[in-house]
Amino acid sequence: MLELKTDFKVDKTKCIKCGKCINTCSGLVLKWGHDGYPEMIPFERFGWRGCWRCQHCLAVCPQGAISIFRKKPEDSLPPVPEQMGEYMERLVTNRRSCRRFLAENVDPAIITRILSAMEAVPTGGNSMGVEYTVIDDIARVDEIWQEAYNVMEQKASKHIYTHSFSNFFYKKMKESEASLRKDDMLFCGAPHLFIAHEKCVGKWAEDSKANCILATAYFELLCNAHGLGTVIMSYSSEVLNELAPNAREMLGIPKDHYTGLIVGFGYPEIKYARGVQKERKGKIHRYTQIKTSK
């Protein structure tokens, strides 16, 4: 019965009995077998009462001796080289909110690679319940935009806004359309949209929201790593959730799913020459042991 659930296997010709798989098992379902090799013990169900489906055992084995869920270790990507630290620093400090995009579709192969990596994004309790909706056709985005933008304008003419907006904020956004937002205060002219969403009910509702936020952050950085421009939009999500339900329905996202942020992405029209130099030293509280001389 257990084999059908996890298909956990140890290649005894490779296993060196280092115990790393046992020491990293979050579900505490791995132990030393009578033959001296790791084995999985029976459990009630996935999650708190058994295997977390995290695949740590597969990933940690230095010899590639463990397979689980019919995943072979040789099919996994290798670890990030240590010298990649500087690259990540540059990626984080150089990413900017892009509000002017080229009006063209991104190469589908790039989007596929990004979404493939997104399958490994962490979730609370390794629930893996968060879903991703990607509108990767500029024509479809325009259809959604037309519906949402028209409703937004009609409501604004009656001074009806989303919960975070007012006459002042709406006016400032309209002013920015002429230059910064390229005639589009709603999606900033982004040719593609990404929305992380998850059913948000009960005691795990806050976890669901956190999962969506984590996925949004990972997706945005992956896009920038592939040379794409991104903009994380909360106002657009508010419009679809509060003012234009028909536009949200066009996305095909279930009504009981949380959608707090939308990422617009595509090829940037304007590229930046360098990173910025922000300072938040006053907001970084680092508790370091101070050594005093005797």
Side-chain angles (χ1 to χ4, degrees):
M1 183 70 68
L2 185 63
E3 285 290 309
L4 296 176
K5 295 175 69 175
T6 64
D7 199 34
F8 176 82
K9 294 180 180 178
V10 177
D11 186 339
K12 296 178 181 179
T13 65
K14 296 180 180 179
C15 179
I16 58 175
K17 303 179 182 180
C18 64
K20 290 181 179 179
C21 57
I22 295 174
N23 293 331
T24 58
C25 178
S26 302
L28 309 178
V29 293
L30 293 185
K31 70 171 187 176
W32 294 113
H34 293 300
D35 59 359
Y37 292 95
E39 67 177 24
M40 185 171 283
I41 62 177
F43 55 85
E44 294 182 38
R45 59 176 178 265
F46 291 112
W48 285 99
R49 299 182 185 276
C51 172
W52 283 98
R53 297 176 290 186
C54 62
Q55 299 182 36
H56 279 210
C57 53
L58 175 147
V60 76
C61 180
Q63 302 299 112
I66 292 178
S67 63
I68 190 169
F69 302 116
R70 299 185 180 180
K71 305 295 183 183
K72 298 178 180 179
E74 57 266 29
D75 293 334
S76 294
L77 291 175
V80 176
E82 293 183 4
Q83 60 268 29
M84 290 293 286
E86 183 179 349
Y87 174 81
M88 285 301 299
E89 292 169 7
R90 293 186 183 186
L91 178 63
V92 171
T93 57
N94 277 272
R95 55 90 30 219
R96 304 264 72 77
S97 290
C98 177
R99 298 183 179 89
R100 295 183 71 92
F101 297 87
L102 297 180
E104 61 182 80
N105 286 325
V106 170
D107 182 351
I110 295 177
I111 299 177
T112 298
R113 286 194 63 177
I114 292 172
L115 293 177
S116 178
M118 287 294 294
E119 294 185 30
V121 170
T123 53
N126 201 38
S127 61
M128 297 183 285
V130 63
E131 300 178 27
Y132 310 140
T133 290
V134 181
I135 311 299
D136 58 6
D137 178 55
I138 191 171
R140 183 58 175 169
V141 172
D142 186 62
E143 291 175 359
I144 298 169
W145 179 88
Q146 291 284 355
E147 172 66 26
Y149 196 92
N150 289 338
V151 172
M152 177 189 71
E153 290 276 71
Q154 292 169 10
K155 297 283 187 179
S157 67
K158 300 176 183 178
H159 305 289
I160 299 174
Y161 308 105
T162 65
H163 74 275
S164 70
F165 261 51
S166 64
N167 285 332
F168 172 80
F169 292 120
Y170 195 83
K171 181 181 178 182
K172 293 296 291 185
M173 289 282 276
K174 290 299 290 183
E175 290 175 357
S176 73
E177 276 190 319
S179 57
L180 175 65
R181 299 179 191 275
K182 202 175 181 179
D183 300 323
D184 180 12
M185 63 176 277
L186 184 62
F187 293 153
C188 299
H192 303 315
L193 303 176
F194 168 90
I195 307 101
H197 53 94
E198 184 173 346
K199 189 173 183 178
C200 192
V201 294
K203 62 180 180 180
W204 303 113
E206 292 304 313
D207 275 14
S208 297
K209 294 178 181 179
N211 290 339
C212 293
I213 294 170
L214 276 172
T216 298
Y218 272 72
F219 180 81
E220 201 246 4
L221 283 176
L222 279 166
C223 282
N224 279 268
H226 283 273
L228 302 179
T230 55
V231 56
I232 300 177
M233 304 175 289
S234 58
Y235 172 68
S236 303
S237 183
E238 290 178 11
V239 170
L240 268 61
N241 287 327
E242 301 174 28
L243 303 180
N246 288 342
R248 176 188 162 115
E249 189 173 334
M250 292 170 71
L251 293 169
I253 298 175
K255 293 181 179 180
D256 60 352
H257 279 214
Y258 168 81
T259 55
L261 298 169
I262 296 175
V263 180
F265 68 101
Y267 294 121
E269 179 186 282
I270 300 174
K271 294 186 178 182
Y272 289 81
R274 62 195 58 83
V276 296
Q277 302 173 42
K278 295 182 179 180
E279 294 185 9
R280 299 188 186 184
K281 293 179 180 178
K283 296 182 179 180
I284 297 176
H285 309 287
R286 182 177 176 180
Y287 297 93
T288 306
Q289 182 179 2
I290 301 176
K291 295 181 179 180
T292 57
S293 57
K294 294 182 181 180

